[in-house]
Amino acid sequence: MILTKLTNKSLVTNQDLELNHRLGLPVEVFCSKQGKTLAFGPIKGFDDQTIFIRDHNFCRSTYLFFGKPSLEKPSYDCSLSKEFWIYSE
């Protein structure tokens, strides 16, 4: 379950955080050392070092943040090999 969250729900960039902040979407703050969720709620504000959720500042480099990433990555490989680009009659 945590691997799926890491790959599909991680909020890393300012763009990711801005989308969740603007839409008022809830964000999960997870501590990997304790193995538990510390907070869940909408982002009140953020900067390059911290994210403010539920009256607490959380360090961006210390905790994992899960929510809705700004750009969805396809779950399939969309690259085509060279032989598909060769035209034949």
Side-chain angles (χ1 to χ4, degrees), residues 16-82:
D16 293 337
L17 296 170
E18 180 60 38
L19 174 71
N20 286 265
H21 182 233
R22 186 171 34 89
L23 297 177
L25 298 174
V27 170
E28 177 184 0
V29 181
F30 185 81
C31 178
S32 60
K33 290 180 182 177
Q34 296 178 13
K36 66 179 187 176
T37 299
L38 301 179
F40 186 80
I43 297 172
K44 299 295 183 189
F46 67 93
D47 59 29
D48 289 338
Q49 284 80 36
T50 60
I51 301 175
F52 189 64
I53 299 172
R54 294 242 171 210
D55 300 325
H56 297 316
N57 282 323
F58 296 96
C59 181
R60 288 176 70 167
S61 62
T62 304
Y63 301 103
L64 300 171
F65 300 92
F66 299 116
K68 169 108 175 89
S70 62
L71 297 174
E72 293 291 329
K73 295 181 179 105
S75 59
Y76 55 87
D77 183 10
C78 59
S79 62
L80 296 174
S81 57
K82 273 171 69 176

